[in-house]
Amino acid sequence: MKTNMMMHIRIAMTLLACFFFTSLMAQQQDSTVYPIVIQFNSIGTGVPTDSALRRFIISYKKKNKIKKIRAAHIGPMGREGEYWLCFLLEELTPKQAAAFRKGIKNVAEKPTERGSTVFVENMALGENQISGRTTSSSVIF
């Protein structure tokens, strides 16, 4: 009797584990992993400007002879125009991507006149994490 109960518990645990991993795999398939995400946040005074970031990208492209760098502009993320710039870095070699990541992190983390920026690496973003009024558009630097 005890053996029978243990077998039923093992089967139930196995089924639960399979269900958990299947749902986890489905979530991963529905999301995109962005190597770099820069979040532009407001602290009651609007979002910070992205001019320093744009200057860095233009300089980086020129220095490394890269034609374009793409990002997804996702927003609004809040009531004050918060948005995210999400970079896939598909145009860059691994070495270029590492240098770009290091340089853009330094620019993104510097304090600005208003609001704040947050640098996030390897962020998985799925449609279920974005509100209905949020849109995504392609930005080419």
Side-chain angles (χ1 to χ4, degrees):
M1 183 123 183
K2 232 180 187 184
T3 310
N4 222 5
M5 182 184 268
M6 291 298 287
M7 186 174 73
H8 287 295
I9 290 174
R10 285 186 185 145
I11 291 171
M13 294 297 285
T14 303
L15 289 173
L16 280 172
C18 288
F19 176 74
F20 173 74
F21 288 118
T22 302
S23 65
L24 186 62
M25 293 290 283
Q27 286 178 357
Q28 288 177 348
Q29 290 173 350
D30 292 341
S31 63
T32 302
V33 177
Y34 292 98
I36 298 173
V37 175
I38 301 174
Q39 301 172 344
F40 292 83
N41 302 310
S42 171
I43 309 175
T45 58
V47 295
T49 181
D50 65 355
S51 59
L53 186 74
R54 287 183 180 275
R55 282 192 305 270
F56 167 77
I57 294 171
I58 290 167
S59 170
Y60 186 85
K61 282 177 23 183
K62 187 176 182 179
K63 179 181 174 185
N64 291 281
K65 298 176 183 162
I66 298 169
K67 292 182 180 178
K68 58 186 168 185
I69 296 176
R70 291 183 212 156
H73 178 282
I74 301 175
M77 299 303 283
R79 291 188 225 165
E80 296 183 47
E82 294 90 346
Y83 67 95
W84 297 353
L85 282 177
C86 306
F87 295 87
L88 283 173
L89 305 180
E90 294 173 332
E91 310 89 351
L92 307 179
T93 66
K95 186 177 178 180
Q96 289 173 330
F100 183 82
R101 186 182 305 231
K102 184 178 178 183
I104 205 164
K105 182 177 183 180
N106 289 334
V107 172
E109 292 182 338
K110 288 184 180 173
T112 59
E113 73 283 354
R114 61 180 184 194
S116 69
T117 54
V118 177
F119 179 87
V120 182
E121 292 185 85
N122 301 317
M123 180 178 190
L125 188 60
E127 289 181 21
N128 61 347
Q129 296 169 296
I130 298 174
S131 72
R133 69 185 192 99
T134 303
T135 61
S136 176
S137 59
S138 183
V139 178
I140 298 175
F141 293 97

